[in-house]
């Protein structure tokens, strides 16, 4: 076992607010979401505010992240009410990062103004592709031009911290198709971008659509090519890759998401939301209607609760930290967990260093870009390895 975690200065919390409503359900989506219903949404927002009020303990927080689902379906006054509730229940910093995930088709100039007045200072758009054919295959409601227009509206509304998500390895997508979306994103010039690999879960309706449309995904080596060429294009455009799937202009990393990768704490609100505080991981009930009923009844919302052992926290700190381009600060890990990572895992990690997938310089351990493609294999070394 690792030693008890050392004394570590408490970092401000991240607050996550889950909004489980969407205008339509995309054919590949495996998130906790359902179709938008005005009445249910009104009850849900009221329940969220109650949960925030009853959970709040005045701890410092410096990020609020509205994720979903489609948070941009909320009205600005609802977003404002939720942010206000967070401010009353926690010691929210003056420079708080408030991110709202948005779908391009839900955005209007009025809404953007309203969100800004409510306190939102960062928008994260689910663009996924800048090619209409691909967006249609994914059953997305927006077109490429709608996504471009939405981005233009954010600039007109004065937002200077905008992230765009793209998905690669889409059905029927070639390397050059993918790079066209990447170049389109670079042309727009957001402060931040996330590049995800489409994962098609077993019963996804997209599978049937792929069979009907005879769309296949590219071979695995082409998927690797997609990743490497996209990252090279983003490097050339001045973005810095700071995590396996994320790039940003200097200083524009997602402060909220970095908490997940750097062993920090967060409190989630809403149906299906996770929290990790003081070594305990909890998950709220997933169903929206059950969540609303439980809040109204004053009942417990948590359906899963797990005390993280020191060993579990240590392992998670290692494989989450390795996702970051800067890698693991081995002295900091040693201070916190009383374990010498290289002494413990060096023999198993050495082959990855020899293959050019991992860099060990005595102070840090970090993946190279080719190593990021094989991150799971490298990280498997850390999982419940017996103590030597
Ligand atoms: S908009 Fe996002 S959360 Fe909603 S169904 Fe589509 S992929 Fe899922």
């Amino acid at each position: 076992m690792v030693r008890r975690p050392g004394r570590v200065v408490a970092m401000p919390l991240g607050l996550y607010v889950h909004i489980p409503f969407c205008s339509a359900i995309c054919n590949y989506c495996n998130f906790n979401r359902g179709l938008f219903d005005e009445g249910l949404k009104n009850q849900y927002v009221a329940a969220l505010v109650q949960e925030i009020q009853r959970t709040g303990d005045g701890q410092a927080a410096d990020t609020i992240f509205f994720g979903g689902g489609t948070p941009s379906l909320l009205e600005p006054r609802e977003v404002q009410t939720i942010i206000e509730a967070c401010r009353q229940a926690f010691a929210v910093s003056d420079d708080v990062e408030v991110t709202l995930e948005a779908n391009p088709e839900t955005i209007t100039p009025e809404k953007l103004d309203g969100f800004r007045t409510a306190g939102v200072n960062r928008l994260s758009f689910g663009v996924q592709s800048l090619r209409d054919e691909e967006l249609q295959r994914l059953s997305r409601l927006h077109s490429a031009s709608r996504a471009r227009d939405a981005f233009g509206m954010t600039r007109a509304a004065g937002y200077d911290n905008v992230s765009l998500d793209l998905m690669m390895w889409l059905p029927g997508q070639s390397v050059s198709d993918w790079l066209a979306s990447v170049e389109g994103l670079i042309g727009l010039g957001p402060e931040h971008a996330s590049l995800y690999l489409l994962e098609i879960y077993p019963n996804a309706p997209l599978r049937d659509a792929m069979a009907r449309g005879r769309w296949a995904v590219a071979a695995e080596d082409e998927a690797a090519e997609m990743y490497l060429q996209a990252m090279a294009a983003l490097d050339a455009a001045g973005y810095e890759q700071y995590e396996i799937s994320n790039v940003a202009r200097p200083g524009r990393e997602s402060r909220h998401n970095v908490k997940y990768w750097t062993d920090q704490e967060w409190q989630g609100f809403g149906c299906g939301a996770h929290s990790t505080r003081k070594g305990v991981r909890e998950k709220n009930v997933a169903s929206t209607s059950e969540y609303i009923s439980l809040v109204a009844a004053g009942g417990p919302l948590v359906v899963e609760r797990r005390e993280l052992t020191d060993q579990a926290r240590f392992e998670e700190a290692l494989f989450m930290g390795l996702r970051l381009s800067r890698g693991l600060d081995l002295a900091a890990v040693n201070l916190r967990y009383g374990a010498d990572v290289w002494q413990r895992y060096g023999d198993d990690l050495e082959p990855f260093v020899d293959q050019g997938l991992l860099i060990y310089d005595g102070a840090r351990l970090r993946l190279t870009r080719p190593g990021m493609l094989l991150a799971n294999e490298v990280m498997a070394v850390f999982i419940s390895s017996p103590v030597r």
Side-chain angles (χ1 to χ4, degrees):
M1 283 295 290
V2 292
R3 273 200 326 249
R4 289 235 135 244
R7 211 155 57 82
V8 176
V9 180
M11 301 286 284
L13 279 177
L15 305 178
Y16 173 83
V17 182
H18 190 68
I19 306 298
F21 304 109
C22 292
S23 308
I25 303 302
C26 303
N27 59 12
Y28 59 92
C29 177
N30 205 13
F31 296 128
N32 186 26
R33 76 301 177 257
L35 276 179
F36 181 80
D37 173 294
E38 180 83 27
L40 194 65
K41 186 256 308 183
N42 293 342
Q43 292 176 42
Y44 185 77
V45 171
L48 271 177
V49 169
Q50 279 189 53
E51 188 197 2
I52 294 166
Q53 286 168 342
R54 80 185 209 192
T55 312
D57 55 6
Q59 192 178 324
D62 67 352
T63 65
I64 303 174
F65 192 103
F66 288 84
T70 309
S72 54
L73 286 174
L74 292 185
E75 294 302 325
R77 66 181 154 72
E78 294 168 325
V79 171
Q80 183 153 13
T81 305
I82 295 166
I83 295 173
E84 276 309 311
C86 292
R87 287 190 185 281
Q88 281 166 16
F90 295 89
V92 174
S93 63
D94 291 343
D95 71 339
V96 61
E97 173 191 274
V98 184
T99 304
L100 184 110
E101 287 185 338
N103 281 355
E105 73 279 2
T106 61
I107 286 303
T108 61
E110 297 71 33
K111 262 195 149 174
L112 288 171
D113 278 346
F115 289 142
R116 222 162 103 82
T117 307
V120 174
N121 52 27
R122 184 172 183 273
L123 289 166
S124 175
F125 277 99
V127 170
Q128 318 313 0
S129 165
L130 286 168
R131 298 184 67 247
D132 286 340
E133 193 184 10
E134 290 168 1
L135 289 165
Q136 285 158 14
R137 287 179 187 169
L138 295 175
S139 70
R140 298 292 305 207
L141 295 178
H142 65 272
S143 61
S145 67
R146 186 69 176 91
R148 290 176 196 279
D149 289 350
F151 183 80
M153 285 181 220
T154 65
R155 293 304 199 213
Y159 288 86
D160 64 358
N161 199 1
V162 181
S163 180
L164 304 182
D165 287 1
L166 290 181
M167 285 199 309
M168 71 184 106
W169 214 19
L170 303 180
Q173 186 183 52
S174 67
V175 176
S176 64
D177 292 339
W178 159 244
L179 292 174
S181 282
V182 175
E183 290 299 342
L185 178 144
I186 290 170
L188 291 171
E191 283 67 36
H192 185 283
S194 302
L195 311 183
Y196 297 113
L197 210 63
L198 174 67
E199 288 181 40
I200 311 175
Y201 68 95
N203 298 322
L206 177 56
R207 284 193 187 272
D208 292 338
M210 285 174 70
R212 283 196 304 274
R214 303 193 180 185
W215 311 320
V217 293
E220 272 190 34
D221 55 342
E222 281 186 46
E225 221 23 62
M226 287 179 180
Y227 178 79
L228 295 172
Q229 289 201 33
M231 287 301 179
L234 289 158
D235 288 345
Y239 288 92
E240 286 178 7
Q241 183 184 11
Y242 69 100
E243 195 267 349
I244 291 179
S245 305
N246 288 280
V247 304
R249 296 277 183 215
R252 294 298 199 175
E253 298 84 6
S254 161
R255 194 197 283 172
H256 183 84
N257 286 340
V258 165
K259 291 182 188 293
Y260 301 133
W261 301 313
T262 53
D263 204 10
Q264 296 184 45
E265 299 195 329
W266 65 93
Q267 175 71 52
F269 301 105
C271 58
H274 291 252
S275 304
T276 298
R277 293 180 74 180
K278 301 183 173 73
V280 178
R281 176 142 315 148
E282 294 182 336
K283 183 181 175 224
N284 277 355
V285 62
S287 144
T288 306
S289 53
E290 272 185 65
Y291 168 82
I292 293 169
S293 310
L294 283 168
V295 171
L301 305 173
V302 172
V303 289
E304 281 174 37
R305 184 177 192 281
R306 189 161 67 95
E307 290 208 22
L308 300 173
T309 61
D310 294 345
Q311 182 71 23
R313 292 177 75 176
F314 172 63
E315 287 172 9
E316 191 167 304
L318 297 185
F319 59 73
M320 294 304 270
L322 209 53
R323 294 188 61 91
L324 292 168
S325 302
R326 65 174 186 256
L328 288 164
D329 176 340
L330 300 177
V333 173
N334 202 340
L335 181 69
R336 187 158 192 166
Y337 293 101
D340 182 326
V341 173
W342 190 255
Q343 194 177 54
R344 181 170 296 193
Y345 301 106
D347 287 352
D348 294 328
L349 293 172
E350 196 84 67
F352 296 114
V353 174
D354 294 343
Q355 291 167 52
L357 302 175
L358 193 63
I359 293 173
Y360 169 63
D361 63 8
R364 302 193 84 91
L365 194 60
R366 62 185 178 86
L367 291 167
T368 60
R369 199 167 271 164
M372 288 180 172
L373 283 164
L374 296 170
N376 289 345
E377 287 174 38
V378 179
M379 291 169 187
V381 165
F382 298 135
I383 297 177
S384 287
S385 180
V387 177
R388 295 195 174 87

